[in-house]
Amino acid sequence: MSNLHRFRFPKTVVSVITTLYIVLMLATYLVYFNEPFIDCAKRIFVAQSIALIFQVVLNYANSRSQRKIVILATLFISATLFSGVLSTFFNLEFMCRYYGF
């Protein structure tokens, strides 16, 4: 097995998660950038951007690594961060009303 194809599935999953971040950011812009939630949407958009930058760093570490533990750790961190961002996307309206933004 060559080094290029080693641990191919976890590396692909981390790349797909990065693509999902971009799709989620576009969805946030389209859904929540309207008048009652614009301030809250700006804040979540900044948080999503920071998470995307962190995800790109994880992608770089993942693509350069040949150690299984590093690849699985980046996969776990990526999935955990994305689940947090995704739950925030679905609960944004509630959080904005609860915290009074």
Side-chain angles (χ1 to χ4, degrees):
M1 181 180 263
S2 69
N3 284 339
L4 293 176
H5 299 294
R6 189 168 179 173
F7 309 120
R8 187 174 183 180
F9 181 72
K11 290 181 178 186
T12 304
V13 171
V14 173
S15 298
V16 168
I17 289 174
T18 304
T19 306
L20 289 174
Y21 268 111
I22 295 169
V23 169
L24 190 64
M25 289 176 75
L26 288 172
T28 300
Y29 181 76
L30 294 174
V31 172
Y32 289 115
F33 268 85
N34 50 18
E35 190 50 42
F37 303 113
I38 193 134
D39 290 332
C40 198
K42 286 179 183 177
R43 290 182 177 146
I44 194 64
F45 202 68
V46 169
Q48 287 176 346
S49 300
I50 292 169
L52 179 64
I53 291 169
F54 191 67
Q55 179 66 31
V56 168
V57 170
L58 286 175
N59 271 358
Y60 178 75
N62 198 4
S63 67
R64 303 292 283 174
S65 179
Q66 292 297 321
R67 301 185 70 199
K68 186 176 183 178
I69 189 70
V70 173
I71 293 169
L72 293 177
T74 57
L75 178 61
F76 175 75
I77 294 168
S78 296
T80 304
L81 285 175
F82 185 73
S83 68
V85 170
L86 188 63
S87 68
T88 303
F89 173 78
F90 287 120
N91 295 320
L92 185 64
E93 184 177 346
F94 171 72
M95 289 184 348
C96 289
R97 288 187 179 153
Y98 183 76
Y99 290 115
F101 291 124

mmCIF file of all heavy atoms in Angstrom, residues 3-51:
data_model
loop_
_atom_site.group_PDB
_atom_site.id
_atom_site.type_symbol
_atom_site.label_atom_id
_atom_site.label_comp_id
_atom_site.label_asym_id
_atom_site.label_seq_id
_atom_site.Cartn_x
_atom_site.Cartn_y
_atom_site.Cartn_z
ATOM 1 N N ASN A 3 1.979 5.286 0.280
ATOM 2 C CA ASN A 3 1.708 6.295 1.301
ATOM 3 C C ASN A 3 0.578 7.234 0.920
ATOM 4 O O ASN A 3 -0.064 7.805 1.782
ATOM 5 C CB ASN A 3 2.983 7.095 1.576
ATOM 6 C CG ASN A 3 3.961 6.320 2.420
ATOM 7 O OD1 ASN A 3 3.572 5.380 3.104
ATOM 8 N ND2 ASN A 3 5.217 6.691 2.372
ATOM 9 N N LEU A 4 0.346 7.415 -0.373
ATOM 10 C CA LEU A 4 -0.725 8.310 -0.794
ATOM 11 C C LEU A 4 -2.101 7.760 -0.442
ATOM 12 O O LEU A 4 -3.034 8.512 -0.192
ATOM 13 C CB LEU A 4 -0.641 8.556 -2.304
ATOM 14 C CG LEU A 4 0.554 9.341 -2.798
ATOM 15 C CD1 LEU A 4 0.556 9.415 -4.311
ATOM 16 C CD2 LEU A 4 0.550 10.733 -2.199
ATOM 17 N N HIS A 5 -2.256 6.464 -0.450
ATOM 18 C CA HIS A 5 -3.551 5.849 -0.189
ATOM 19 C C HIS A 5 -3.695 5.334 1.238
ATOM 20 O O HIS A 5 -4.692 4.694 1.565
ATOM 21 C CB HIS A 5 -3.793 4.709 -1.178
ATOM 22 C CG HIS A 5 -3.819 5.189 -2.596
ATOM 23 N ND1 HIS A 5 -4.805 6.014 -3.068
ATOM 24 C CD2 HIS A 5 -2.976 4.973 -3.623
ATOM 25 C CE1 HIS A 5 -4.580 6.276 -4.335
ATOM 26 N NE2 HIS A 5 -3.467 5.659 -4.704
ATOM 27 N N ARG A 6 -2.741 5.611 2.063
ATOM 28 C CA ARG A 6 -2.806 5.157 3.444
ATOM 29 C C ARG A 6 -3.767 6.049 4.235
ATOM 30 O O ARG A 6 -3.700 7.266 4.164
ATOM 31 C CB ARG A 6 -1.413 5.221 4.068
ATOM 32 C CG ARG A 6 -1.375 4.572 5.389
ATOM 33 C CD ARG A 6 0.020 4.391 5.858
ATOM 34 N NE ARG A 6 -0.041 3.761 7.166
ATOM 35 C CZ ARG A 6 0.978 3.337 7.806
ATOM 36 N NH1 ARG A 6 2.174 3.466 7.291
ATOM 37 N NH2 ARG A 6 0.839 2.774 8.976
ATOM 38 N N PHE A 7 -4.655 5.450 4.972
ATOM 39 C CA PHE A 7 -5.672 6.142 5.767
ATOM 40 C C PHE A 7 -6.492 7.091 4.887
ATOM 41 O O PHE A 7 -6.752 8.231 5.245
ATOM 42 C CB PHE A 7 -5.044 6.912 6.930
ATOM 43 C CG PHE A 7 -4.120 6.104 7.763
ATOM 44 C CD1 PHE A 7 -2.791 6.470 7.904
ATOM 45 C CD2 PHE A 7 -4.555 4.963 8.410
ATOM 46 C CE1 PHE A 7 -1.928 5.728 8.670
ATOM 47 C CE2 PHE A 7 -3.700 4.215 9.183
ATOM 48 C CZ PHE A 7 -2.371 4.599 9.311
ATOM 49 N N ARG A 8 -6.899 6.620 3.763
ATOM 50 C CA ARG A 8 -7.595 7.456 2.789
ATOM 51 C C ARG A 8 -8.978 7.880 3.285
ATOM 52 O O ARG A 8 -9.371 9.039 3.112
ATOM 53 C CB ARG A 8 -7.710 6.701 1.481
ATOM 54 C CG ARG A 8 -8.241 7.498 0.360
ATOM 55 C CD ARG A 8 -8.171 6.691 -0.897
ATOM 56 N NE ARG A 8 -8.628 7.485 -2.022
ATOM 57 C CZ ARG A 8 -8.669 7.045 -3.241
ATOM 58 N NH1 ARG A 8 -8.282 5.812 -3.497
ATOM 59 N NH2 ARG A 8 -9.094 7.793 -4.200
ATOM 60 N N PHE A 9 -9.728 6.983 3.906
ATOM 61 C CA PHE A 9 -11.090 7.302 4.339
ATOM 62 C C PHE A 9 -11.131 8.404 5.399
ATOM 63 O O PHE A 9 -11.889 9.370 5.247
ATOM 64 C CB PHE A 9 -11.807 6.040 4.826
ATOM 65 C CG PHE A 9 -13.210 6.303 5.269
ATOM 66 C CD1 PHE A 9 -14.206 6.577 4.343
ATOM 67 C CD2 PHE A 9 -13.535 6.283 6.608
ATOM 68 C CE1 PHE A 9 -15.500 6.832 4.745
ATOM 69 C CE2 PHE A 9 -14.823 6.527 7.024
ATOM 70 C CZ PHE A 9 -15.806 6.801 6.088
ATOM 71 N N PRO A 10 -10.348 8.320 6.494
ATOM 72 C CA PRO A 10 -10.410 9.414 7.477
ATOM 73 C C PRO A 10 -9.964 10.754 6.900
ATOM 74 O O PRO A 10 -10.521 11.790 7.238
ATOM 75 C CB PRO A 10 -9.461 8.974 8.590
ATOM 76 C CG PRO A 10 -9.308 7.518 8.423
ATOM 77 C CD PRO A 10 -9.499 7.229 6.975
ATOM 78 N N LYS A 11 -8.991 10.728 6.001
ATOM 79 C CA LYS A 11 -8.552 11.984 5.393
ATOM 80 C C LYS A 11 -9.633 12.563 4.501
ATOM 81 O O LYS A 11 -9.830 13.783 4.457
ATOM 82 C CB LYS A 11 -7.267 11.755 4.598
ATOM 83 C CG LYS A 11 -6.066 11.486 5.482
ATOM 84 C CD LYS A 11 -4.818 11.300 4.662
ATOM 85 C CE LYS A 11 -3.620 11.072 5.566
ATOM 86 N NZ LYS A 11 -2.363 11.023 4.828
ATOM 87 N N THR A 12 -10.359 11.716 3.815
ATOM 88 C CA THR A 12 -11.461 12.177 2.969
ATOM 89 C C THR A 12 -12.585 12.752 3.819
ATOM 90 O O THR A 12 -13.181 13.773 3.467
ATOM 91 C CB THR A 12 -11.984 11.027 2.098
ATOM 92 O OG1 THR A 12 -10.893 10.485 1.346
ATOM 93 C CG2 THR A 12 -13.075 11.481 1.169
ATOM 94 N N VAL A 13 -12.873 12.128 4.935
ATOM 95 C CA VAL A 13 -13.944 12.598 5.816
ATOM 96 C C VAL A 13 -13.618 13.984 6.361
ATOM 97 O O VAL A 13 -14.488 14.864 6.413
ATOM 98 C CB VAL A 13 -14.197 11.590 6.957
ATOM 99 C CG1 VAL A 13 -15.136 12.171 7.994
ATOM 100 C CG2 VAL A 13 -14.764 10.300 6.409
ATOM 101 N N VAL A 14 -12.379 14.217 6.737
ATOM 102 C CA VAL A 14 -11.998 15.532 7.241
ATOM 103 C C VAL A 14 -12.123 16.585 6.140
ATOM 104 O O VAL A 14 -12.560 17.711 6.388
ATOM 105 C CB VAL A 14 -10.564 15.493 7.841
ATOM 106 C CG1 VAL A 14 -10.091 16.876 8.217
ATOM 107 C CG2 VAL A 14 -10.535 14.598 9.054
ATOM 108 N N SER A 15 -11.809 16.234 4.928
ATOM 109 C CA SER A 15 -11.979 17.172 3.810
ATOM 110 C C SER A 15 -13.458 17.447 3.538
ATOM 111 O O SER A 15 -13.833 18.578 3.216
ATOM 112 C CB SER A 15 -11.319 16.621 2.555
ATOM 113 O OG SER A 15 -9.945 16.468 2.748
ATOM 114 N N VAL A 16 -14.289 16.435 3.664
ATOM 115 C CA VAL A 16 -15.732 16.628 3.481
ATOM 116 C C VAL A 16 -16.293 17.525 4.576
ATOM 117 O O VAL A 16 -17.164 18.368 4.307
ATOM 118 C CB VAL A 16 -16.454 15.261 3.439
ATOM 119 C CG1 VAL A 16 -17.952 15.413 3.553
ATOM 120 C CG2 VAL A 16 -16.085 14.522 2.169
ATOM 121 N N ILE A 17 -15.799 17.397 5.786
ATOM 122 C CA ILE A 17 -16.247 18.261 6.881
ATOM 123 C C ILE A 17 -15.905 19.719 6.577
ATOM 124 O O ILE A 17 -16.693 20.623 6.857
ATOM 125 C CB ILE A 17 -15.663 17.788 8.226
ATOM 126 C CG1 ILE A 17 -16.319 16.473 8.648
ATOM 127 C CG2 ILE A 17 -15.858 18.833 9.312
ATOM 128 C CD1 ILE A 17 -15.720 15.833 9.876
ATOM 129 N N THR A 18 -14.755 19.960 5.969
ATOM 130 C CA THR A 18 -14.395 21.322 5.576
ATOM 131 C C THR A 18 -15.381 21.865 4.553
ATOM 132 O O THR A 18 -15.808 23.018 4.629
ATOM 133 C CB THR A 18 -12.967 21.354 5.002
ATOM 134 O OG1 THR A 18 -12.075 20.818 5.968
ATOM 135 C CG2 THR A 18 -12.549 22.758 4.656
ATOM 136 N N THR A 19 -15.767 21.040 3.606
ATOM 137 C CA THR A 19 -16.756 21.451 2.613
ATOM 138 C C THR A 19 -18.103 21.732 3.278
ATOM 139 O O THR A 19 -18.791 22.694 2.918
ATOM 140 C CB THR A 19 -16.911 20.362 1.539
ATOM 141 O OG1 THR A 19 -15.628 20.057 0.999
ATOM 142 C CG2 THR A 19 -17.850 20.795 0.444
ATOM 143 N N LEU A 20 -18.459 20.938 4.258
ATOM 144 C CA LEU A 20 -19.712 21.159 4.981
ATOM 145 C C LEU A 20 -19.687 22.475 5.761
ATOM 146 O O LEU A 20 -20.726 23.126 5.919
ATOM 147 C CB LEU A 20 -20.004 19.991 5.910
ATOM 148 C CG LEU A 20 -20.410 18.691 5.228
ATOM 149 C CD1 LEU A 20 -20.542 17.568 6.255
ATOM 150 C CD2 LEU A 20 -21.704 18.861 4.470
ATOM 151 N N TYR A 21 -18.524 22.875 6.270
ATOM 152 C CA TYR A 21 -18.398 24.179 6.922
ATOM 153 C C TYR A 21 -18.761 25.294 5.948
ATOM 154 O O TYR A 21 -19.485 26.227 6.303
ATOM 155 C CB TYR A 21 -16.966 24.421 7.415
ATOM 156 C CG TYR A 21 -16.711 24.004 8.834
ATOM 157 C CD1 TYR A 21 -15.898 22.924 9.103
ATOM 158 C CD2 TYR A 21 -17.248 24.693 9.898
ATOM 159 C CE1 TYR A 21 -15.630 22.536 10.389
ATOM 160 C CE2 TYR A 21 -16.994 24.315 11.196
ATOM 161 C CZ TYR A 21 -16.184 23.234 11.441
ATOM 162 O OH TYR A 21 -15.925 22.854 12.719
ATOM 163 N N ILE A 22 -18.250 25.212 4.734
ATOM 164 C CA ILE A 22 -18.516 26.249 3.744
ATOM 165 C C ILE A 22 -20.001 26.273 3.385
ATOM 166 O O ILE A 22 -20.618 27.347 3.292
ATOM 167 C CB ILE A 22 -17.623 26.044 2.512
ATOM 168 C CG1 ILE A 22 -16.157 26.237 2.913
ATOM 169 C CG2 ILE A 22 -18.008 26.994 1.382
ATOM 170 C CD1 ILE A 22 -15.165 25.820 1.870
ATOM 171 N N VAL A 23 -20.603 25.109 3.226
ATOM 172 C CA VAL A 23 -22.034 25.031 2.930
ATOM 173 C C VAL A 23 -22.846 25.599 4.092
ATOM 174 O O VAL A 23 -23.816 26.342 3.893
ATOM 175 C CB VAL A 23 -22.442 23.572 2.620
ATOM 176 C CG1 VAL A 23 -23.950 23.408 2.567
ATOM 177 C CG2 VAL A 23 -21.795 23.108 1.331
ATOM 178 N N LEU A 24 -22.446 25.293 5.308
ATOM 179 C CA LEU A 24 -23.162 25.794 6.481
ATOM 180 C C LEU A 24 -23.018 27.306 6.613
ATOM 181 O O LEU A 24 -23.969 27.993 7.011
ATOM 182 C CB LEU A 24 -22.650 25.098 7.745
ATOM 183 C CG LEU A 24 -23.450 25.329 9.009
ATOM 184 C CD1 LEU A 24 -24.854 24.750 8.843
ATOM 185 C CD2 LEU A 24 -22.765 24.696 10.186
ATOM 186 N N MET A 25 -21.860 27.851 6.259
ATOM 187 C CA MET A 25 -21.692 29.299 6.299
ATOM 188 C C MET A 25 -22.587 29.982 5.256
ATOM 189 O O MET A 25 -23.185 31.027 5.534
ATOM 190 C CB MET A 25 -20.224 29.665 6.096
ATOM 191 C CG MET A 25 -19.359 29.316 7.284
ATOM 192 S SD MET A 25 -17.623 29.637 7.029
ATOM 193 C CE MET A 25 -17.606 31.413 7.165
ATOM 194 N N LEU A 26 -22.693 29.390 4.085
ATOM 195 C CA LEU A 26 -23.592 29.938 3.073
ATOM 196 C C LEU A 26 -25.051 29.848 3.529
ATOM 197 O O LEU A 26 -25.838 30.787 3.324
ATOM 198 C CB LEU A 26 -23.411 29.200 1.749
ATOM 199 C CG LEU A 26 -22.128 29.492 0.988
ATOM 200 C CD1 LEU A 26 -21.997 28.548 -0.202
ATOM 201 C CD2 LEU A 26 -22.096 30.928 0.534
ATOM 202 N N ALA A 27 -25.411 28.745 4.149
ATOM 203 C CA ALA A 27 -26.774 28.590 4.658
ATOM 204 C C ALA A 27 -27.064 29.594 5.766
ATOM 205 O O ALA A 27 -28.170 30.145 5.845
ATOM 206 C CB ALA A 27 -26.991 27.165 5.158
ATOM 207 N N THR A 28 -26.088 29.854 6.617
ATOM 208 C CA THR A 28 -26.259 30.853 7.670
ATOM 209 C C THR A 28 -26.512 32.222 7.061
ATOM 210 O O THR A 28 -27.379 32.970 7.513
ATOM 211 C CB THR A 28 -25.017 30.908 8.578
ATOM 212 O OG1 THR A 28 -24.826 29.630 9.171
ATOM 213 C CG2 THR A 28 -25.173 31.943 9.676
ATOM 214 N N TYR A 29 -25.760 32.544 6.047
ATOM 215 C CA TYR A 29 -25.944 33.845 5.397
ATOM 216 C C TYR A 29 -27.332 33.944 4.761
ATOM 217 O O TYR A 29 -28.006 34.957 4.899
ATOM 218 C CB TYR A 29 -24.865 34.061 4.336
ATOM 219 C CG TYR A 29 -24.976 35.389 3.647
ATOM 220 C CD1 TYR A 29 -24.571 36.551 4.287
ATOM 221 C CD2 TYR A 29 -25.522 35.476 2.379
ATOM 222 C CE1 TYR A 29 -24.691 37.778 3.667
ATOM 223 C CE2 TYR A 29 -25.659 36.696 1.751
ATOM 224 C CZ TYR A 29 -25.238 37.848 2.401
ATOM 225 O OH TYR A 29 -25.362 39.057 1.788
ATOM 226 N N LEU A 30 -27.759 32.896 4.091
ATOM 227 C CA LEU A 30 -29.046 32.944 3.394
ATOM 228 C C LEU A 30 -30.242 32.904 4.345
ATOM 229 O O LEU A 30 -31.258 33.552 4.099
ATOM 230 C CB LEU A 30 -29.144 31.785 2.400
ATOM 231 C CG LEU A 30 -28.166 31.842 1.225
ATOM 232 C CD1 LEU A 30 -28.266 30.566 0.406
ATOM 233 C CD2 LEU A 30 -28.416 33.064 0.363
ATOM 234 N N VAL A 31 -30.121 32.164 5.432
ATOM 235 C CA VAL A 31 -31.266 31.975 6.324
ATOM 236 C C VAL A 31 -31.365 33.066 7.389
ATOM 237 O O VAL A 31 -32.448 33.600 7.646
ATOM 238 C CB VAL A 31 -31.208 30.582 6.993
ATOM 239 C CG1 VAL A 31 -32.258 30.434 8.064
ATOM 240 C CG2 VAL A 31 -31.339 29.502 5.950
ATOM 241 N N TYR A 32 -30.261 33.432 8.008
ATOM 242 C CA TYR A 32 -30.320 34.275 9.198
ATOM 243 C C TYR A 32 -29.930 35.730 8.991
ATOM 244 O O TYR A 32 -30.058 36.520 9.913
ATOM 245 C CB TYR A 32 -29.440 33.689 10.301
ATOM 246 C CG TYR A 32 -30.012 32.424 10.878
ATOM 247 C CD1 TYR A 32 -29.357 31.218 10.725
ATOM 248 C CD2 TYR A 32 -31.210 32.431 11.560
ATOM 249 C CE1 TYR A 32 -29.872 30.051 11.240
ATOM 250 C CE2 TYR A 32 -31.743 31.275 12.085
ATOM 251 C CZ TYR A 32 -31.068 30.084 11.924
ATOM 252 O OH TYR A 32 -31.583 28.943 12.436
ATOM 253 N N PHE A 33 -29.457 36.113 7.829
ATOM 254 C CA PHE A 33 -29.114 37.511 7.629
ATOM 255 C C PHE A 33 -30.348 38.299 7.177
ATOM 256 O O PHE A 33 -30.374 38.888 6.109
ATOM 257 C CB PHE A 33 -27.965 37.657 6.614
ATOM 258 C CG PHE A 33 -26.627 37.690 7.266
ATOM 259 C CD1 PHE A 33 -25.964 36.514 7.571
ATOM 260 C CD2 PHE A 33 -26.019 38.882 7.588
ATOM 261 C CE1 PHE A 33 -24.734 36.532 8.179
ATOM 262 C CE2 PHE A 33 -24.785 38.918 8.190
ATOM 263 C CZ PHE A 33 -24.137 37.738 8.486
ATOM 264 N N ASN A 34 -31.366 38.307 8.030
ATOM 265 C CA ASN A 34 -32.526 39.151 7.829
ATOM 266 C C ASN A 34 -32.724 39.990 9.091
ATOM 267 O O ASN A 34 -32.019 39.807 10.081
ATOM 268 C CB ASN A 34 -33.779 38.335 7.472
ATOM 269 C CG ASN A 34 -34.024 37.194 8.419
ATOM 270 O OD1 ASN A 34 -33.489 37.181 9.524
ATOM 271 N ND2 ASN A 34 -34.806 36.222 8.009
ATOM 272 N N GLU A 35 -33.664 40.887 9.086
ATOM 273 C CA GLU A 35 -33.727 41.942 10.084
ATOM 274 C C GLU A 35 -33.789 41.510 11.550
ATOM 275 O O GLU A 35 -33.037 42.033 12.340
ATOM 276 C CB GLU A 35 -34.896 42.878 9.769
ATOM 277 C CG GLU A 35 -34.904 44.128 10.605
ATOM 278 C CD GLU A 35 -33.561 44.851 10.606
ATOM 279 O OE1 GLU A 35 -32.911 44.968 9.565
ATOM 280 O OE2 GLU A 35 -33.151 45.282 11.686
ATOM 281 N N PRO A 36 -34.617 40.597 11.986
ATOM 282 C CA PRO A 36 -34.631 40.383 13.441
ATOM 283 C C PRO A 36 -33.368 39.715 13.997
ATOM 284 O O PRO A 36 -33.070 39.851 15.175
ATOM 285 C CB PRO A 36 -35.853 39.503 13.680
ATOM 286 C CG PRO A 36 -36.303 39.017 12.379
ATOM 287 C CD PRO A 36 -35.644 39.832 11.321
ATOM 288 N N PHE A 37 -32.599 39.011 13.165
ATOM 289 C CA PHE A 37 -31.464 38.241 13.686
ATOM 290 C C PHE A 37 -30.120 38.679 13.125
ATOM 291 O O PHE A 37 -29.148 37.948 13.222
ATOM 292 C CB PHE A 37 -31.653 36.748 13.368
ATOM 293 C CG PHE A 37 -32.927 36.195 13.906
ATOM 294 C CD1 PHE A 37 -33.926 35.788 13.046
ATOM 295 C CD2 PHE A 37 -33.130 36.100 15.260
ATOM 296 C CE1 PHE A 37 -35.110 35.285 13.536
ATOM 297 C CE2 PHE A 37 -34.314 35.596 15.765
ATOM 298 C CZ PHE A 37 -35.308 35.193 14.897
ATOM 299 N N ILE A 38 -30.030 39.848 12.544
ATOM 300 C CA ILE A 38 -28.801 40.211 11.836
ATOM 301 C C ILE A 38 -27.603 40.343 12.772
ATOM 302 O O ILE A 38 -26.496 39.921 12.434
ATOM 303 C CB ILE A 38 -28.996 41.471 10.975
ATOM 304 C CG1 ILE A 38 -27.827 41.622 10.028
ATOM 305 C CG2 ILE A 38 -29.131 42.705 11.800
ATOM 306 C CD1 ILE A 38 -28.227 41.945 8.647
ATOM 307 N N ASP A 39 -27.787 40.904 13.969
ATOM 308 C CA ASP A 39 -26.659 41.048 14.906
ATOM 309 C C ASP A 39 -26.174 39.696 15.393
ATOM 310 O O ASP A 39 -24.977 39.441 15.477
ATOM 311 C CB ASP A 39 -27.072 41.915 16.103
ATOM 312 C CG ASP A 39 -27.272 43.363 15.712
ATOM 313 O OD1 ASP A 39 -26.629 43.811 14.741
ATOM 314 O OD2 ASP A 39 -28.078 44.046 16.378
ATOM 315 N N CYS A 40 -27.106 38.834 15.719
ATOM 316 C CA CYS A 40 -26.746 37.492 16.170
ATOM 317 C C CYS A 40 -26.110 36.683 15.041
ATOM 318 O O CYS A 40 -25.181 35.917 15.262
ATOM 319 C CB CYS A 40 -27.984 36.800 16.713
ATOM 320 S SG CYS A 40 -27.643 35.389 17.744
ATOM 321 N N ALA A 41 -26.614 36.872 13.829
ATOM 322 C CA ALA A 41 -26.065 36.146 12.678
ATOM 323 C C ALA A 41 -24.633 36.590 12.388
ATOM 324 O O ALA A 41 -23.800 35.773 11.998
ATOM 325 C CB ALA A 41 -26.946 36.365 11.459
ATOM 326 N N LYS A 42 -24.346 37.859 12.573
ATOM 327 C CA LYS A 42 -22.970 38.334 12.381
ATOM 328 C C LYS A 42 -22.026 37.669 13.375
ATOM 329 O O LYS A 42 -20.906 37.289 13.026
ATOM 330 C CB LYS A 42 -22.898 39.852 12.526
ATOM 331 C CG LYS A 42 -23.473 40.597 11.357
ATOM 332 C CD LYS A 42 -23.390 42.083 11.584
ATOM 333 C CE LYS A 42 -24.032 42.855 10.448
ATOM 334 N NZ LYS A 42 -24.017 44.304 10.687
ATOM 335 N N ARG A 43 -22.474 37.532 14.609
ATOM 336 C CA ARG A 43 -21.634 36.900 15.634
ATOM 337 C C ARG A 43 -21.391 35.422 15.331
ATOM 338 O O ARG A 43 -20.281 34.925 15.480
ATOM 339 C CB ARG A 43 -22.280 37.059 16.998
ATOM 340 C CG ARG A 43 -22.247 38.471 17.476
ATOM 341 C CD ARG A 43 -22.851 38.612 18.838
ATOM 342 N NE ARG A 43 -22.712 39.996 19.254
ATOM 343 C CZ ARG A 43 -23.588 40.632 19.979
ATOM 344 N NH1 ARG A 43 -24.666 40.010 20.401
ATOM 345 N NH2 ARG A 43 -23.406 41.891 20.313
ATOM 346 N N ILE A 44 -22.431 34.731 14.921
ATOM 347 C CA ILE A 44 -22.256 33.308 14.614
ATOM 348 C C ILE A 44 -21.428 33.127 13.353
ATOM 349 O O ILE A 44 -20.670 32.164 13.225
ATOM 350 C CB ILE A 44 -23.611 32.565 14.526
ATOM 351 C CG1 ILE A 44 -23.397 31.048 14.561
ATOM 352 C CG2 ILE A 44 -24.353 32.917 13.277
ATOM 353 C CD1 ILE A 44 -22.812 30.525 15.800
ATOM 354 N N PHE A 45 -21.517 34.074 12.425
ATOM 355 C CA PHE A 45 -20.719 34.002 11.209
ATOM 356 C C PHE A 45 -19.236 34.151 11.540
ATOM 357 O O PHE A 45 -18.391 33.461 10.962
ATOM 358 C CB PHE A 45 -21.174 35.086 10.231
ATOM 359 C CG PHE A 45 -20.818 34.801 8.814
ATOM 360 C CD1 PHE A 45 -21.421 33.764 8.121
ATOM 361 C CD2 PHE A 45 -19.873 35.559 8.159
ATOM 362 C CE1 PHE A 45 -21.102 33.496 6.814
ATOM 363 C CE2 PHE A 45 -19.540 35.305 6.851
ATOM 364 C CZ PHE A 45 -20.151 34.272 6.173
ATOM 365 N N VAL A 46 -18.907 35.015 12.485
ATOM 366 C CA VAL A 46 -17.513 35.156 12.927
ATOM 367 C C VAL A 46 -17.037 33.871 13.597
ATOM 368 O O VAL A 46 -15.920 33.399 13.342
ATOM 369 C CB VAL A 46 -17.366 36.366 13.876
ATOM 370 C CG1 VAL A 46 -16.011 36.385 14.549
ATOM 371 C CG2 VAL A 46 -17.586 37.660 13.110
ATOM 372 N N ALA A 47 -17.878 33.285 14.438
ATOM 373 C CA ALA A 47 -17.511 32.029 15.099
ATOM 374 C C ALA A 47 -17.316 30.904 14.090
ATOM 375 O O ALA A 47 -16.391 30.092 14.202
ATOM 376 C CB ALA A 47 -18.575 31.653 16.127
ATOM 377 N N GLN A 48 -18.174 30.850 13.075
ATOM 378 C CA GLN A 48 -18.027 29.837 12.035
ATOM 379 C C GLN A 48 -16.753 30.059 11.223
ATOM 380 O O GLN A 48 -16.100 29.098 10.818
ATOM 381 C CB GLN A 48 -19.239 29.842 11.102
ATOM 382 C CG GLN A 48 -20.475 29.262 11.714
ATOM 383 C CD GLN A 48 -21.677 29.376 10.791
ATOM 384 O OE1 GLN A 48 -21.663 30.109 9.809
ATOM 385 N NE2 GLN A 48 -22.735 28.646 11.132
ATOM 386 N N SER A 49 -16.400 31.303 10.997
ATOM 387 C CA SER A 49 -15.161 31.598 10.264
ATOM 388 C C SER A 49 -13.930 31.151 11.045
ATOM 389 O O SER A 49 -12.991 30.599 10.471
ATOM 390 C CB SER A 49 -15.073 33.090 9.963
ATOM 391 O OG SER A 49 -16.149 33.512 9.183
ATOM 392 N N ILE A 50 -13.939 31.388 12.347
ATOM 393 C CA ILE A 50 -12.823 30.938 13.180
ATOM 394 C C ILE A 50 -12.746 29.416 13.188
ATOM 395 O O ILE A 50 -11.657 28.832 13.089
ATOM 396 C CB ILE A 50 -12.966 31.506 14.610
ATOM 397 C CG1 ILE A 50 -12.767 33.028 14.582
ATOM 398 C CG2 ILE A 50 -11.973 30.855 15.566
ATOM 399 C CD1 ILE A 50 -13.136 33.718 15.871
ATOM 400 N N ALA A 51 -13.899 28.760 13.262
ATOM 401 C CA ALA A 51 -13.918 27.293 13.217
ATOM 402 C C ALA A 51 -13.435 26.770 11.872
ATOM 403 O O ALA A 51 -12.736 25.752 11.811
ATOM 404 C CB ALA A 51 -15.328 26.778 13.506
#
